[in-house]
Amino acid sequence: FHRLETVVIGSRKSEAMETLKDIHLLLVDDDSACRIALGEFFEREGSVVAMASSGTEALQRIRSEKIDFSVMDVNMPGLTGPEVLLRLRREMGSEAIPPTLLMSSDRSAESLARTLLGFHVGFLPKPIQLTTLRRSVVQMLVRSQWPPLPGLGNVPLGLPEA
């Protein structure tokens, strides 16, 4: 678990953009305005962005698509962000789950995120500051050394490892 409010990695935006370039990123939030705004931000950073509006949709996308990193709301109707990660761990194992940044306007959600030991998980409180978000994602990618092989990301469920 990583608390990421005061993260500082290189101050040059170009370094962060290079790290985020071509990263397959999944944004999961039931708030469409937040999802769209963050999606546009990451696309400007050079990431390949997929979106999901629910935990159930996130499960389907992670099972079937290449995802290098996910940014996920904690509190959503149906499956919460942490429930998605726990279900994926049961199905795929911790190693196949990409680093995930959980976000919430509920400050008590941070303690819930802390219970996710064995995952590459960080937490940012909403409202999100985009510069902090960029630095946090870059830091988590660097710390987790994800994707495990260049350009591979997770191997979707049901597909052979080639």
Side-chain angles (χ1 to χ4, degrees):
F1 175 81
H2 307 287
R3 177 108 165 99
L4 298 169
E5 276 187 292
T6 57
V7 172
V8 177
I9 334 190
S11 59
R12 295 193 325 224
K13 182 179 175 185
S14 61
E15 288 176 10
M17 286 185 69
E18 190 60 34
T19 303
L20 295 176
K21 185 172 171 34
D22 299 324
I23 291 294
H24 290 246
L25 188 116
L26 176 63
L27 295 173
V28 187
D29 199 319
D30 57 322
D31 179 342
S32 62
C34 180
R35 203 172 51 245
I36 290 167
L38 292 179
E40 290 173 352
F41 167 75
F42 281 111
E43 285 173 347
R44 284 192 307 273
E45 297 292 315
S47 299
V48 178
V49 177
M51 295 187 199
S53 60
S54 69
T56 302
E57 187 180 352
L59 279 173
Q60 294 168 345
R61 294 199 87 135
I62 293 171
R63 287 174 181 147
S64 63
E65 298 176 24
K66 175 187 178 293
I67 304 295
D68 297 320
F69 195 93
S70 64
V71 176
M72 197 174 302
D73 191 18
V74 170
N75 298 311
M76 295 179 285
L79 291 174
T80 66
E83 289 170 339
V84 168
L85 296 176
L86 291 169
R87 188 171 291 186
L88 286 168
R89 178 168 62 186
R90 282 193 306 269
E91 293 176 8
M92 302 171 71
S94 296
E95 311 78 38
I97 300 171
T100 300
L101 183 59
L102 294 171
M103 57 185 179
S104 179
S105 56
D106 176 4
R107 292 293 177 131
S108 66
E110 182 179 357
S111 61
L112 174 64
R114 286 183 185 276
T115 66
L116 297 170
L117 298 176
F119 293 96
H120 296 293
V121 175
F123 179 83
L124 279 178
K126 289 182 178 179
I128 303 279
Q129 292 188 4
L130 296 179
T131 55
T132 302
L133 176 62
R134 178 191 304 114
R135 283 189 303 244
S136 298
V137 172
V138 170
Q139 180 189 38
M140 287 185 69
L141 285 165
V142 169
R143 277 188 180 173
S144 66
Q145 298 179 1
W146 193 273
L149 296 174
L152 249 185
N154 61 320
V155 178
L157 260 188
L159 296 179
E161 292 191 23

